[in-house]
Amino acid sequence: MRSHNAALVLGLLRDAGAEGISRLELAERTGLTPQAVSKITARLREEGYAAEAGRRASTGGKPRTVLRLVPEAGHAVGVHLDRDELRVVLVDLDGAVVAQRRAELDLGARAEAVLGVVAEAVEELVGEALGLGDEGLAGAGTLLGVGVALPGPLDHSRGVLHRVTGFPEWDGFPLRDALGERLGVPVVVDKDTNAAALGLSVGGEAGSRSFAYLHLGTGLGAGLVIGGRVHRGARTGAGEFGHQVIQLDGPLCECGNRGCVEALCLAAVGRGEPGEAARVLGVGAANLVALLDIDVVLLGGRTVAGEPGVFVRGVEDVLDARARRAGARGEPVPVRSSTRGERLVAEGAAQLLLAPVFGRGDA
């Protein structure tokens, strides 16, 4: 499962869907020899990850056997830790949600209490869907691990939190190791916006290899996909979109600055002015588009989900006006709201485990 070549083959099996793909096609698309493909597919079938999907007519010789991915052969848990709620999903190898749950959460509670809520929710969900052995989660044979997404900033590579906006007490907490020790299975940690962007990229919803996902919920952040890969930056701190200052004498933000996009957006939402919040979000989005020249802007998060049309139109208007003033050529940068709903971050968190299985090295 961990070899690069096996990951390439698994990725093509997943992309082929129920119709399947032949060994010859796998060899042609991966550049591997037919013998190597035969060995890899034989091992995948033995381990239960691949199965025959029938036969396909050949241009010459006998019909070719086609293979398909077995989605139920592997599962991953995705956890979205928001400031006031917890969402947990269990997905199969295709990324389809097979079980889910939601609960209230106080991210400002002590770490031990938060870990307890998360562990209990994960264990109950997996237990109901897959069953637990004597070893707990480690005994759930098809479980690959748990992906956790939450507000940043944080160190993705080490799974250590930094000063989460509004919750400085988490600074330096080793969430990945602490939760992994408690659950007994592999754990990966990333920012909520990065996880969402990964999920959108894997699912092809953006329709582009370079896009920005702007998440407006209890906070505001961005997930960036550039050249088909999630961009985290040299210190995994990219995407702190909400804390760009656009009004020097603006309201104080929880980060300590004044006039941040996040503070202005949330203030407008709190006043019941979603149109104004959308305009402010559009100003920040226009700065991002001008800086990175991205193809698409996707919007999501619970606040956007409440009035997606208002936010899409508001951001579009600002981007279009900026493009006209700049004399930009071609079509304006399209703006869309994500169709994945409020499970997007949790599903993306599960992809932190699944994507590497299929050769996505940026997960």
Side-chain angles (χ1 to χ4, degrees):
M1 285 295 294
R2 294 177 179 174
S3 78
H4 174 68
N5 290 340
L8 291 178
V9 170
L10 278 168
L12 290 172
L13 288 171
R14 181 191 58 184
D15 294 343
E19 293 183 1
I21 186 172
S22 71
R23 293 177 180 83
L24 180 59
E25 290 172 302
L26 288 170
E28 290 172 346
R29 297 186 189 183
T30 60
L32 299 171
T33 65
Q35 293 82 1
V37 168
S38 293
K39 289 181 180 179
I40 291 170
T41 54
R43 187 169 73 250
L44 293 176
R45 289 185 63 188
E46 182 180 343
E47 295 172 348
Y49 290 96
E52 287 192 6
R55 294 179 179 272
R56 183 181 301 159
S58 172
T59 55
K62 62 181 181 180
R64 298 173 184 167
T65 299
V66 293
L67 302 173
R68 64 172 178 85
L69 181 72
V70 179
E72 61 272 20
H75 294 86
V77 172
V79 176
H80 179 193
L81 283 176
D82 208 342
R83 292 171 172 85
D84 58 358
E85 76 171 17
L86 168 70
R87 285 184 180 270
V88 185
V89 299
L90 180 71
V91 307
D92 63 19
L93 291 179
D94 266 338
V97 175
V98 298
Q100 62 179 311
R101 68 175 52 210
R102 173 187 172 276
E104 293 183 355
L105 179 76
D106 178 10
L107 193 60
R110 58 188 179 86
E112 194 63 25
V114 173
L115 291 182
V117 172
V118 174
E120 181 179 3
V122 171
E123 288 168 350
E124 289 182 356
L125 187 71
V126 175
E128 292 172 4
L130 303 179
L132 299 178
D134 295 336
E135 301 175 1
L137 289 180
T142 61
L143 184 65
L144 302 176
V146 177
V148 181
L150 72 163
L154 54 81
D155 184 336
H156 161 73
S157 60
R158 297 191 300 127
V160 175
L161 306 188
H162 294 323
R163 294 181 64 85
V164 178
T165 304
F167 301 93
E169 63 272 20
W170 283 97
D171 189 17
F173 186 78
L175 179 61
R176 181 191 66 189
D177 293 346
L179 190 57
E181 182 177 352
R182 185 153 189 160
L183 296 177
V185 295
V187 173
V188 181
V189 174
D190 205 349
K191 288 198 299 187
D192 47 10
T193 49
N194 287 342
L198 176 64
L200 292 168
S201 181
V202 169
E205 183 174 336
S208 170
R209 288 173 54 80
S210 296
F211 66 90
Y213 168 71
L214 307 184
H215 184 92
L216 179 59
T218 57
L220 173 61
L224 307 174
V225 173
I226 300 175
R229 298 176 64 86
V230 176
H231 177 72
R232 294 184 176 87
R235 289 166 293 278
T236 72
E240 290 300 310
F241 170 84
H243 299 295
Q244 57 175 303
V245 175
I246 61 173
Q247 183 181 338
L248 293 177
D249 59 349
L252 184 66
C253 180
E254 288 187 343
C255 74
N257 291 324
R258 288 188 174 275
C260 291
V261 176
E262 177 177 299
L264 294 168
C265 266
L266 295 180
V269 170
R271 295 193 303 269
E273 300 176 1
E276 173 64 11
R279 188 188 70 82
V280 173
L281 183 60
V283 172
N287 291 341
L288 190 60
V289 168
L291 181 66
L292 297 178
D293 194 20
I294 54 178
D295 297 326
V296 182
V297 173
L298 291 174
L299 307 180
R302 74 170 78 164
T303 302
V304 170
E307 297 190 69
V310 172
F311 280 95
V312 168
R313 287 192 299 273
V315 174
E316 275 182 337
D317 288 345
V318 177
L319 289 180
D320 291 352
R322 181 79 65 91
R324 286 195 300 271
R325 289 196 300 272
R329 297 180 179 179
E331 296 294 324
V333 174
V335 180
R336 301 194 295 270
S337 61
S338 171
T339 61
R340 304 277 288 278
E342 294 188 19
R343 293 189 322 205
L344 171 60
V345 174
E347 291 181 38
Q351 288 297 332
L352 294 169
L353 271 298
L354 292 183
V357 174
F358 299 102
R360 286 282 304 227
D362 59 327

